Amino acid sequence: MSLVWDNGLFLLKGAYYTLLITVISMIFGLLIGIVVALARLKGNLPIRWLARAYVSVIRGTPAYVQILIVYFGLVDYGITLGPITAACVALSINVGAYLSETFRGAILAIPKGQTEAAYATGMTSWQTLRRIVFPQAARVAIAPMGNTFIGMLKETALVSVITVTELVRSAQLLIAQYFVNMPFYLGIAAIYWVMSTGFSAILHAIEKRLSKAY
Amino acid sequence: MMIRTTELSKSFHGVEVLRSIDLGVAAREIVVLLGPSGSGKSTLLRCLNGLEELSGGSLEVNGVRVDADMPSRRKRSSFREIRRNAGMVFQQFNLYPHKTALGNVIESLLTVKKLGRAEAEGIGERLLERVGLADKKDQYPSRLSGGQQQRVAIARALAMEPSVMLFDEPTSALDPELVGEVLEVMRQLAREGMTMVVVTHEMKFARQVANRIVFMDGGVVVEEREPEDFFRDPRSERARKFLNQLSDH
C-alpha cells in the first residue's frame, strides 16, 4: 500500500485529468442537452428530425466507439485532435444526448397551466420558458442529471485508450513500473468513489435549494 | 365596446365547439357566462385572449382586433397586446410554484413592463394588500390555502392594470368554505368598475353581481338577458332545464 502513497502525487494528477474532462464535458454536455431538447420540442420538422437522429445514434452506440471515432477516425479526414480535446468532444456529445432526453422529459412534465398563466400576463414564449418553465424543469431534471454526471465521471476511464493519463492510465503506468496490480487498482477505485460521492453531495445540495419552495 | 366578437367559431379536430358567436361587452360591464359543461363557455373565454386559437370570425378587445385569417405572426403579436390589457384567472390558479406570492404578482411587471424590482415590489405589495394577503407576501403557493392562492392569482392578473378581467371558473376547485373569500374580492373589483367576463357556477354571484347573463349551450349563445329576468323567467327550454337541474340539488 505504501507504493500507492509514494506515488500519490502521480495518481492525483490522474485524478485531476479525470475531473477536468468530467467538468468540461458536463458543461458542454449541458449546453448541447438544452439546445437539443429545445430543438426537439420547438423546432420545425427537419430540426426535430435531426435532433432525434442525433439522440438515437449516440444512445445506440457505445461511448467507447464514439471516443475511438473522434480520436482515431477523424484523423483520416485530416482532423487531428489532442487526446484531452478528443476526450472532451466525445464525452460532451455523448452526455448531451442523454441529458437532452432528461431535459425534454422535465420540460414536458411542467403543467400546461404554467405556460398559459405566463402567456395570459403578456409574456413571450421565450420569457415564459426562461422564467417559468426552466426553473421548474431544473428541479425535475436534477436527480436524473446527477446520475448521468456520475455515470460520466466513471466513463472517463474509457479515454485511457486514447493515451489521456487520467486515473486508469496513471494506475496502468505505475503497474508497468512496479509489477504489482492490486494496490494501484484499489487506490484509484477509492479515488473514484471519493469523487462521485463528492458530486452526489453537491447535486443533493442543489436539489435541496431548488426544492425549498415545495 | 370593450370586447366584441364577430361570428367567432372554434373547432377541435373537426368538432365545432363554438359556432358563430357574436358577443359584446361594454366597458365596466359584468357579464357572466352560464351553461352546462361542454357548452363552450370556457373555450369562448380562452379565445378572447388567444389561449385557444380561433377557427373563424374575428374579435376585438380594447381596440385591438384579431381576425382568424390573419397571418399567425400578426395574430400572435396582437394577442400579446390583448393579454397585456386582459387579466385572466384560472380554475386551477396556476400560480408559479417556485415563486413567492409577491414573486408571482410582480413577474409580469419585471418581464413584460420591465419595471425595476423596487418599484415592482411596491406595486405588488399594494395589490396583495388589496386582496387581503399583505402578510403572506413571502409565502410560497404550497403554503397557502386554495382561497389564498386564488386571491394571489387575482392580484397577479391585476398587476398589469388590465382594462378587463377574465375569470374561468375561479371557485370551482375550491373547498366550499373558501369560495366566499374569492367571490368577495371579485365583488370588490366589480364595485370598483372593472369590466369582467366570468364563467362560473355560482348562481348567487351571477344573480347579484352580473349586469347580463349569457347562457350558452352546444357552442351557441342561446339566451342573453338581465340576471333577474333570466333567473325568474328563462325564455329558452334549454335554460329552463339547466336552472331546474341546479335547483334539484
Side-chain angles (χ1 to χ4, degrees):
Chain A
M1 215 54 203
S2 69
L3 273 181
V4 176
W5 289 119
D6 293 345
N7 293 288
L9 220 58
F10 188 70
L11 285 177
L12 278 182
K13 202 164 167 221
Y16 163 76
Y17 281 113
T18 292
L19 207 61
L20 182 75
I21 293 165
T22 305
V23 170
I24 291 176
S25 309
M26 249 164 59
I27 292 167
F28 283 101
L30 208 72
L31 292 176
I32 294 173
I34 291 170
V35 170
V36 173
L38 285 179
R40 284 195 66 179
L41 290 169
K42 306 268 166 187
N44 56 23
L45 198 67
I47 287 178
R48 285 206 307 270
W49 190 86
L50 207 68
R52 269 181 73 165
Y54 159 70
V55 173
S56 167
V57 167
I58 297 300
R59 295 209 307 173
T61 54
Y64 186 60
V65 174
Q66 292 160 16
I67 291 164
L68 295 178
I69 287 174
V70 172
Y71 187 62
F72 295 116
L74 288 182
V75 175
D76 292 358
Y77 300 93
I79 303 168
T80 311
L81 300 175
I84 294 180
T85 314
C88 290
V89 168
L91 288 175
S92 299
I93 291 172
N94 178 272
V95 89
Y98 287 92
L99 287 180
S100 75
E101 285 292 277
T102 303
F103 294 155
R104 196 173 70 96
I107 289 169
L108 288 174
I110 307 308
K112 204 164 150 250
Q114 291 291 308
T115 316
E116 289 186 349
Y119 286 170
T121 62
M123 285 165 77
T124 63
S125 58
W126 173 240
Q127 287 171 333
T128 303
L129 271 179
R130 196 166 53 84
R131 304 271 309 180
I132 306 303
V133 177
F134 283 166
Q136 294 183 61
R139 177 176 158 268
V140 178
I142 191 95
M145 197 165 84
N147 290 337
T148 307
F149 283 158
I150 287 163
M152 196 187 54
L153 172 77
K154 294 179 288 184
E155 238 164 53
T156 55
L158 294 172
V159 305
S160 58
V161 295
I162 56 169
T163 71
V164 179
T165 313
E166 42 63 75
L167 266 176
V168 170
R169 198 169 142 82
S170 308
Q172 285 166 342
L173 290 175
L174 290 171
I175 288 165
Q177 191 181 338
Y178 292 100
F179 302 109
V180 279
N181 293 302
M182 200 53 156
F184 292 117
Y185 284 137
L186 285 180
I188 62 166
I191 297 174
Y192 274 119
W193 178 77
V194 168
M195 290 197 294
S196 37
T197 313
F199 265 111
S200 295
I202 293 169
L203 287 161
H204 189 72
I206 296 173
E207 192 177 356
K208 241 176 125 175
R209 223 187 107 88
L210 288 175
S211 298
K212 74 172 194 290
Y214 295 83
Chain B
M1 278 288 160
M2 183 64 78
I3 297 174
R4 150 125 1 256
T5 74
T6 313
E7 293 177 12
L8 181 80
S9 67
K10 167 75 189 167
S11 349
F12 285 112
H13 312 293
V15 181
E16 272 204 311
V17 235
L18 292 177
R19 275 182 282 175
S20 195
I21 305 273
D22 294 302
L23 176 76
V25 179
R28 306 174 80 86
E29 194 179 17
I30 294 155
V31 171
V32 168
L33 302 180
L34 291 181
S37 66
S39 57
K41 51 202 192 313
S42 278
T43 307
L44 173 57
L45 196 73
R46 289 162 57 84
C47 280
L48 295 179
N49 69 348
L51 288 185
E52 300 292 351
E53 199 143 339
L54 320 180
S55 309
S58 67
L59 60 83
E60 196 178 314
V61 178
N62 202 23
V64 182
R65 193 184 149 84
V66 178
D67 270 300
D69 45 19
M70 271 180 178
S72 59
R73 186 179 284 262
R74 253 189 79 197
K75 256 195 279 195
R76 232 188 347 254
S77 75
S78 297
F79 270 127
R80 209 151 49 232
E81 206 178 327
I82 287 176
R83 287 164 183 169
R84 269 179 236 164
N85 279 309
M88 187 172 224
V89 176
F90 300 86
Q91 180 175 358
Q92 300 293 344
F93 329 136
N94 297 351
L95 288 183
Y96 312 132
H98 61 303
K99 292 187 181 292
T100 61
L102 186 62
N104 268 276
V105 176
I106 66 172
E107 180 59 27
S108 60
L109 296 176
L110 298 175
T111 53
V112 181
K113 281 200 175 165
K114 313 243 186 259
L115 298 187
R117 184 162 282 276
E119 191 186 350
E121 283 182 352
I123 296 171
E125 280 166 15
R126 277 199 297 283
L127 283 166
L128 283 174
E129 206 178 306
R130 223 168 120 188
V131 298
L133 292 171
D135 56 328
K136 301 286 185 199
K137 71 183 173 87
D138 295 322
Q139 297 285 348
Y140 286 100
S142 60
R143 293 303 179 90
L144 300 175
S145 73
Q148 290 169 336
Q149 288 189 55
Q150 194 60 299
R151 282 146 68 200
V152 173
I154 293 173
R156 174 175 70 180
L158 290 172
M160 293 295 287
E161 296 180 56
S163 35
V164 53
M165 286 282 281
L166 311 172
F167 291 87
D168 189 6
E169 301 201 29
T171 58
S172 298
L174 294 174
D175 290 335
E177 75 273 20
L178 301 177
V179 169
E181 59 189 80
V182 172
L183 291 182
E184 187 41 48
V185 170
M186 291 169 64
R187 286 200 166 90
Q188 179 64 33
L189 274 179
R191 280 195 291 274
E192 288 164 10
M194 177 63 78
T195 311
M196 292 162 66
V197 183
V198 186
V199 174
T200 187
H201 295 291
E202 298 293 331
M203 293 304 145
K204 207 171 126 199
F205 176 85
R207 195 166 191 154
Q208 292 172 350
V209 182
N211 303 118
R212 187 151 46 100
I213 303 286
V214 172
F215 176 76
M216 293 179 66
D217 193 15
V220 294
V221 173
V222 177
E223 196 166 335
E224 237 184 300
R225 310 271 297 281
E226 292 210 352
E228 273 314 312
D229 300 339
F230 177 79
F231 284 104
R232 188 164 20 85
D233 179 29
R235 255 188 228 129
S236 61
E237 183 55 36
R238 283 190 275 187
R240 237 189 317 265
K241 225 170 127 190
F242 174 73
L243 289 173
N244 277 337
Q245 273 165 350
L246 288 177
S247 53
D248 281 349
H249 303 297

